[in-house]
Each structure stands twice: as C-alpha cells, then as structure tokens.
Amino acid sequence: MLTSFSEFKYYQSFRVPVESRDDVQFLVEYENDQGRFEFVEKIKLMDVSMTGLGFTTSFPLPVGATLRCSLQFKRLRFDFGASVVRAFRNVNSSDSEAMNYGAELDTEDYGNMKRFIEQYIQSLPPERLKDSLIQLALTQHYASEKEGFEMFSLLLSLFKDITQFGNKEKFVESMLEEIVRILNGQRASIFLINTETNELEAVAALGIDKELLKFDYRKGIAGSVFTTGVSLNIDTQTDKVRFSEEMDKVTGFDTRSIICSPITNREDKIIGVIEVLNKRNEDRFTVEDEKTMKVLALILSSVFHHYSPVSEKSLIRRFSTPYDREWAWIGRSQQTSEIRKAIVRLKDIDSPLMISGETGVGKKLFARIVHNEGKRGLAPYVVISCKGVDEATLQKEIFGTPESKSKLEECVGGSIVFDEISFMPVHMQMQLMQVLKDRRIPGSHISLDVRPMFTTSKNLKQLIEEEGAFNPELYHYMCSSEVNIDPLRKRPQDIEDLLSFCLRKECRKQGLLLKDFSDVVKDQLVNYAWPGNVSELEKAVEKAVLYNPKAHVITDLGSKSSPIIDVSKTANCLLENIPHADDPAIPLKDRVALVEREMILAEIKRHKGNKSKAATAMGISREALRKKMLMSDEIIEGLNNPGKAPAPKPTLVEDEKEAA
C-alpha cells in the first residue's frame, strides 16, 4: 500500500484512547541504520485501532521506520511489527520536542490486536465507554457539511482558474492574493530552486520585491521544508533553532509566524516551497490552515510540473547529473539507499559523527558529502590523516604552533575529519578530547565552531576492551552519531554502476574516447569480491584504461605479470566476517555449520524474530532449525572455551518455552 494511503487509513480510523491509569505496558524498538533494533525511551501509548496505534515520544523517528512493539494488558501480551506512517508535532505536550506518531501494524498481527482491543474495552468503566461511543457516532470526514462544500467549491474554482489563465505569471500572482486572503496572512512567496547558484529564489511574492528574496537552499524554515519535504507551521518565538533572521534583516519585516509547504514537479522532486507569513490576530496558523495549504501546494505543483533543472554545479543530488558531480555516492543497492537516507538525516546536525567500515569503502567520501549537502557546506572542510603521519606533524596540525594555526581554527564554521582515528597515540586522544569538549585550543581565544567527524577501519570497542589502545571517553564522544558502511562485496548491485562511473571518469582524465568492458569482463568484475573495496575498483579501472589505450572495448583482465585484479584474495574475503569460518584448523563440517548459522540468523531477523516463519522460508522444519542452532552454539562454545565441558542440551519442551 502507498504511504499516503497508509497515512489516510490511519487518520480516518476510529482509535480507542488509552490512559496511563489503565496500566497498559507498551515497549517499542526501532531499526537503526546498521539494521540493529534499539529501544525507544520515554514513550507513551495514546490510542489503538484494529490496524494501527498512536504514541508520543521526543525520540525522532522517520516516516517509514520499522518498529518491533510489545503490548501487555493484564494476562494478555503480544509482540508485533509495525511501521511509522504519520508524524506531527504534539502541541499539547509540555515537552517542546515531543512528536505524535501513527504506526500501521503488519497485516499478520491484526488478529492479536483485535483480541487486545476486545479485552481492553471490556475492562473500561461505563462512563468512558459512553464517551467513546459518542465520539465514534460523531466522527465524520469533515467537521461540518459547510466546511466540506467550501473546500469542494474552492477546488472547483481553482481548477477553473488554472484552465482559463493563459499567462502563468499572472495566475501565480492571483493565486498568492487568494492564498493570503484564505489563510488570513500578511505576506506570501513562492520559491523555486536555482541549481546554478544553489539558492531558493522567489518567482512570485506579495508585499515585497521578489528580487530581494534569495538565499542558500538549506537555510531557514523554507530551506528545512525544501530539504526534508515536511511541511512546517511554526511561530518564531518557540522555534528559534530553524528560523533564520537573515531575510528579516534584508527586508525589514518582522516575521512572527510561518506556514510553509513543498512544491513538487511531475517527477515528484521537490522543486520549491510556498510560504505564508504572519497569521493576522493570532500567534500561529491553525490545523485547518495546514490542510488548506496542502491543497494549495498541490495546485501550485501542477502549475510548475514541467520545472526540472539539472546542473553540473548543483549541490543537490536530485538536480545534479551523478556522473558529472565531483562528490557522488554511486549505486542502486538497498545499502546505498540507506546510506543516502543517512546523509539526509545527518547532514544538518552538529553532533560528532563516527564513520566505520573497511579500508577503501568510501568513508571520507561519505564525510565529504555530509559536509557538502549540510548547512556547513559553504564553509571550510579539512581532513587530518592520523595514519602514516609522525606524532610531531599530527601535534602541529591539531593543536598548532606559535608560527602556524591549528587546522581546527582554519575550518571554523565548517567540518573537520580525523581520518583513521585509531592510529592517533592514546595520550594525544586525551588532549583532543579536552579540546573538543572545551571548544577551544589552549592559549587561543577562538571558539571552535566545527563539526568533528571520525573515520576508522578498526573495531574501536575491541581496541578499548582487549588492548587498551583507545581512549574510551573519546570513543563515547565520537558515537553521538554513527554510520557503518558495508564492504563492496555485500552490495554487488553497486559494482556495475561504479565500474561505469570510474571508466567514464578515467577516460575523461586521460583524454580518451569513452571505453566499455566486454560482457565477459564485466561479469568477472561484478563477481569479484573486491577486498580493497571501491579504492581497489578505481585502481583496477585505471589499469584497464592504461593497458588498453587504443581498444574501445576492454576484453581481458591483464596478464599474469600485470593483472588488473588479484583473484587469489577473493576466497578468504567472503568468510572473514564470520568468526572462525576461515580457520583451516577447524573441521570442514564445523565451518559449514558456522556459515549456516549466519544464514539462519539473517533469515530470523528478516522475519522479525519469528523462527517458525524463518524455518518455512528456508525449506526446513522448526525442529531442524533448532538443532542446527544448538549444534553451532556448541561449536562456538567449544572454540571460545577450549577444554570446558559442554553445557547440557535443553529439551524440546524447554526450547519451545524459550521460543514462546
């Protein structure tokens, strides 16, 4: 079902309110970017329906987030899966960060929710049952017939205007006048993106010269709506974080309240925003104004549906040609899709960011894109390499000298990347931690307004616990935000796109006509494990072009003396992430059992912990799955604790109890 239908289904359903005195236990876990489930803290269940539920929390959850939930009421308890379909500000909460979320249940859990609602309603006192019945009886799509007809007549009127106006500019100006009248505002503007300057520029404005209205596409409320696609209705006194006073200084206008919605084109790309300022005689615009604004934004989207600029200079992914951008994340795999979502989520925050992954996966590229596309994108970007650099040089770059500034001071307002942070000496890590906490270098008067990012190809937690080779305080500071980038062998769908991108880039660099790989060579490259990841792929393409300067189609992978890729590395690479699986000292059957274990765990995760469904999907019985897991547990226990007597095997009854 489309997300919009899911949201409509949730919004239209009658939901039974839940109160804290009812003693309903409600727990939620959400799936993070690394595919792990984490508990959502300080969450409150608001209401339930046959197909969904509503809750409030100050923890930010994106629309589409996968949830694992648990409900318990008296003796009834059940676990279920759900996904977030609606998110909106909780205006009645004392917590300014609190949001209301609507979640739709997985279809297979409807029956359990039905039993829960039946038992819950039977426990309600008569007074609350009466209130719920009255609410159900009075629920209708519109608050009144009059409101419904007014909205319908407005749509008909707008449709007539769209079809009769020959001049688009005059229609837009007339639309702005009507918008201000309908919403009872003071000013209104329509902004479209200029991909050459990376600015939002007014194409129409009421009450001010539109030439004055242009700014960086990431700034202010309009920038927030443009980059996220989420409509906003705020008053400037209570939302000073996102509101920018720059335009008020330019125009001399005093903005008190703003309602803003995105405008899209026929490709469903956000191309601009419609913004109305200052609700007359009120502190902010109303919920009804938000509904009206959505309709008006749809009308304007139809007016500008052909607008779709593309530019090599554009910093905005959706308006730039990927092959011509200097910094681009190439690929179409699910992992790459998640990486792009992480970029959108992380680009505008100031907290430290740790980027982990194997050598060559693109950690520095990810950091560069986060910087470029975020609010700091126009400020300096600096990389300090901690690997292969002597301690004196590193000390000079980070902390400076009387003769030279620290690189931290050189990128004030921007971002700084500490590449391969695990190679920094421990005593220097402690000094760096103090500087980042104090936001000042000892002896300097410059406040360090920088966003620190850290890359690592090593397991820092292991360095802390086993070797004491990393500062735990710095580690916890770095983990405020964390992204792990999968190796290239785990996202094979990206390889062909990367080959095409690198080949085009290398041919252009060497001044040659565009080449291509033969189908046989392309298949070999796609099926290669790439132990050196994207860095190795770039080198391989560079060699392929150098070795074939005159050939338009590259048909071989080089000679034995000068190979393009090293196939001998592939076998070990596939097993290195499974503990003990690449250890030749372990019997083959035990290594196979360990590989099977990883496949079973992945299938159980895909089925949200349901082992019976996982077994069915793999074509084995639930009992066979149990035995395979027991066998692999024994093997791991024996490898981790050699000489220790194996634990007694649980009986089938005990195992079923544990599964239940």
Side-chain angles (χ1 to χ4, degrees):
M1 186 178 287
L2 295 173
T3 303
S4 56
F5 283 1
S6 297
E7 180 178 350
F8 182 78
K9 181 179 178 182
Y10 168 82
Y11 184 71
Q12 289 294 98
S13 65
F14 174 75
R15 302 188 297 279
V16 181
V18 178
E19 296 183 6
S20 55
R21 59 181 170 173
D22 297 331
D23 197 28
V24 176
Q25 303 298 317
F26 179 54
L27 299 174
V28 173
E29 292 177 296
Y30 82 103
E31 188 175 17
N32 62 21
D33 294 321
Q34 288 103 37
R36 298 172 184 163
F37 281 88
E38 297 180 8
F39 273 102
V40 178
E41 297 181 354
K42 295 181 181 178
I43 193 165
K44 182 182 178 183
L45 182 65
M46 303 299 292
D47 46 54
V48 293
S49 72
M50 270 289 296
T51 60
L53 48 83
F55 58 90
T56 182
T57 177
S58 55
F59 190 96
L61 291 169
V63 172
T66 299
L67 307 178
R68 283 197 317 210
C69 310
S70 177
L71 268 178
Q72 183 168 352
F73 178 66
K74 296 184 177 179
R75 293 185 177 181
L76 177 62
R77 176 186 177 277
F78 75 100
D79 301 328
F80 57 95
S83 57
V84 176
V85 295
R86 196 161 187 262
F88 48 100
R89 181 70 62 190
N90 185 356
V91 294
N92 297 319
S93 173
S94 57
D95 183 359
S96 61
E97 296 299 315
M99 293 281 288
N100 279 351
Y101 293 95
E104 186 180 23
L105 271 65
D106 292 350
T107 311
E108 61 263 31
D109 294 315
Y110 285 4
N112 287 327
M113 180 58 84
K114 180 181 178 182
R115 288 195 296 275
F116 172 84
I117 291 175
E118 286 174 348
Q119 184 168 330
Y120 178 71
I121 289 178
Q122 288 174 7
S123 71
L124 295 179
E127 195 62 33
R128 284 180 61 191
L129 282 173
K130 186 173 75 173
D131 291 342
S132 294
L133 186 59
I134 291 171
Q135 185 183 349
L136 175 60
L138 297 179
T139 298
Q140 54 181 355
H141 185 60
Y142 296 105
S144 66
E145 289 183 1
K146 179 184 176 184
E147 181 186 345
F149 281 116
E150 281 184 356
M151 185 60 72
F152 184 64
S153 63
L154 170 63
L155 287 170
L156 288 176
S157 173
L158 288 170
F159 178 75
K160 188 185 296 184
D161 284 342
I162 291 171
T163 55
Q164 289 182 354
F165 263 88
N167 186 307
K168 184 167 75 174
E169 189 173 337
K170 286 184 178 178
F171 169 73
V172 171
E173 290 174 0
S174 299
M175 271 289 294
L176 282 183
E177 292 175 4
E178 287 300 306
I179 288 169
V180 168
R181 183 185 65 80
I182 292 167
L183 298 181
N184 198 22
Q186 285 187 337
R187 287 188 179 180
S189 309
I190 298 171
F191 295 90
L192 294 181
I193 188 65
N194 181 332
T195 53
E196 296 297 322
T197 62
N198 297 299
E199 290 182 321
L200 284 169
E201 296 182 353
V203 294
L206 194 65
I208 190 172
D209 181 4
K210 67 181 182 181
E211 299 299 323
L212 295 172
L213 303 179
K214 56 179 69 176
F215 48 88
D216 187 299
Y217 75 95
R218 294 160 289 202
K219 290 187 175 179
I221 299 300
S224 178
V225 172
F226 176 77
T227 54
T228 65
V230 177
S231 299
L232 288 176
N233 174 14
I234 66 120
D235 68 272
T236 58
Q237 291 303 307
T238 58
D239 200 336
K240 293 183 179 180
V241 175
R242 286 177 292 189
F243 174 65
S244 171
E245 297 180 347
E246 286 187 24
M247 291 312 301
D248 278 6
K249 292 175 181 177
V250 172
T251 63
F253 187 70
D254 180 24
T255 303
R256 299 187 306 277
S257 58
I258 305 172
I259 188 168
C260 186
S261 289
I263 299 171
T264 58
N265 63 7
R266 61 182 176 181
E267 298 168 352
D268 204 29
K269 293 178 180 176
I270 300 169
I271 55 172
V273 299
I274 165 72
E275 184 178 76
V276 184
L277 307 181
N278 291 2
K279 178 79 169 178
R280 296 180 189 273
N281 305 320
E282 294 187 46
D283 293 334
R284 62 187 294 158
F285 291 87
T286 66
V287 174
E288 293 305 315
D289 292 334
E290 293 178 19
K291 295 177 183 177
T292 305
M293 194 72 162
K294 282 187 177 181
V295 176
L296 297 171
L298 282 173
I299 300 298
L300 290 169
S301 295
S302 70
V303 174
F304 295 104
H305 72 290
H306 285 301
Y307 188 75
S308 186
V310 175
S311 169
E312 293 181 18
K313 298 179 181 179
S314 181
L315 295 175
I316 310 166
R317 186 178 302 279
R318 58 182 176 272
F319 296 119
S320 58
T321 308
Y323 290 130
D324 293 324
R325 292 172 65 214
E326 185 177 3
W327 311 106
W329 195 275
I330 306 300
R332 287 174 284 183
S333 67
Q334 178 63 34
Q335 293 94 325
T336 288
S337 176
E338 293 301 319
I339 285 290
R340 292 193 177 117
K341 289 178 185 176
I343 290 169
V344 172
R345 192 180 67 256
L346 297 169
K347 63 187 178 66
D348 291 320
I349 62 178
D350 293 321
S351 63
L353 172 62
M354 184 171 79
I355 309 162
S356 59
E358 294 179 5
T359 301
V361 293
K363 299 186 289 294
K364 283 187 288 186
L365 174 62
F366 180 88
R368 185 68 197 233
I369 295 172
V370 166
H371 169 80
N372 281 2
E373 298 195 4
K375 63 183 181 181
R376 295 177 180 266
L378 303 179
Y381 172 84
V382 175
V383 177
I384 295 179
S385 178
C386 304
K387 183 179 180 181
V389 179
D390 64 86
E391 190 174 325
T393 302
L394 199 55
Q395 185 87 18
K396 179 181 175 182
E397 288 185 342
I398 297 174
F399 306 107
T401 65
E403 296 78 28
S404 62
K405 276 186 177 181
S406 157
K407 287 192 174 182
L408 283 161
E409 293 177 318
E410 289 178 5
C411 70
V412 168
S415 306
I416 190 160
V417 178
F418 295 92
D419 186 38
E420 293 297 344
I421 186 68
S422 63
F423 289 87
M424 180 182 287
V426 177
H427 69 89
M428 199 179 292
Q429 293 171 20
M430 297 171 69
Q431 290 177 282
L432 176 62
M433 179 69 245
Q434 196 60 47
V435 166
L436 294 175
K437 282 176 66 178
D438 296 343
R439 301 176 71 87
R440 195 179 304 278
I441 291 174
S444 171
H445 300 292
I446 299 174
S447 177
L448 296 179
D449 173 26
V450 297
R451 185 189 187 181
M453 293 188 265
F454 308 85
T455 74
T456 179
S457 55
K458 291 188 176 183
N459 186 330
L460 298 184
K461 192 174 282 188
Q462 188 175 348
L463 288 179
I464 294 169
E465 294 173 354
E466 296 180 9
E467 303 172 27
F470 200 83
N471 184 278
E473 189 179 357
L474 178 58
Y475 173 76
H476 291 301
Y477 173 82
M478 290 161 50
C479 288
S480 296
S481 304
E482 186 177 359
V483 168
N484 180 67
I485 301 175
D486 283 335
L488 194 53
R489 63 185 171 277
K490 288 190 177 181
R491 40 191 176 101
Q493 301 94 322
D494 293 345
I495 294 174
E496 193 167 339
D497 289 337
L498 282 164
L499 288 169
S500 178
F501 172 76
C502 293
L503 193 59
R504 181 188 294 257
K505 183 178 175 182
E506 194 59 37
C507 289
R508 186 182 298 171
K509 175 182 169 184
Q510 297 188 29
L512 301 171
L513 292 173
L514 183 62
K515 301 177 183 295
D516 197 5
F517 291 109
S518 68
D519 290 341
V520 173
V521 169
K522 194 176 290 183
D523 287 343
Q524 288 176 299
L525 293 173
V526 168
N527 293 318
Y528 178 57
W530 299 106
N533 294 296
V534 181
S535 296
E536 184 185 3
L537 184 144
E538 289 176 330
K539 286 290 182 186
V541 172
E542 182 182 356
K543 288 180 186 177
V545 175
L546 284 170
Y547 295 170
N548 298 273
K550 296 180 180 179
H552 294 299
V553 178
I554 299 170
T555 56
D556 63 67
L557 293 176
S559 62
K560 288 184 178 180
S561 59
S562 54
I564 290 175
I565 56 175
D566 186 359
V567 183
S568 64
K569 294 180 181 178
T570 305
N572 290 334
C573 199
L574 295 173
L575 299 175
E576 64 182 15
N577 287 333
I578 302 176
H580 309 293
D582 58 348
D583 186 351
I586 299 173
L588 178 61
K589 66 173 185 176
D590 290 352
R591 293 162 68 187
V592 170
L594 293 176
V595 174
E596 270 190 342
R597 173 190 175 84
E598 293 299 317
M599 297 171 69
I600 291 170
L601 289 173
E603 199 67 26
I604 290 172
K605 178 182 176 183
R606 192 169 73 87
H607 287 85
K608 299 176 182 175
N610 192 317
K611 294 178 183 178
S612 296
K613 288 183 179 179
T616 303
M618 291 185 289
I620 60 176
S621 68
R622 173 69 173 79
E623 175 64 9
L625 182 147
R626 185 185 76 88
K627 287 181 177 178
K628 287 178 182 292
M629 290 300 292
L630 280 174
M631 184 187 300
S632 60
D633 285 344
E634 288 177 6
I635 293 169
I636 291 174
E637 180 67 21
L639 292 169
N640 292 336
N641 300 287
K644 183 180 177 181
K649 297 180 182 179
T651 63
L652 179 60
V653 174
E654 288 173 342
D655 184 65
E656 292 301 330
K657 281 183 179 178
E658 184 266 329

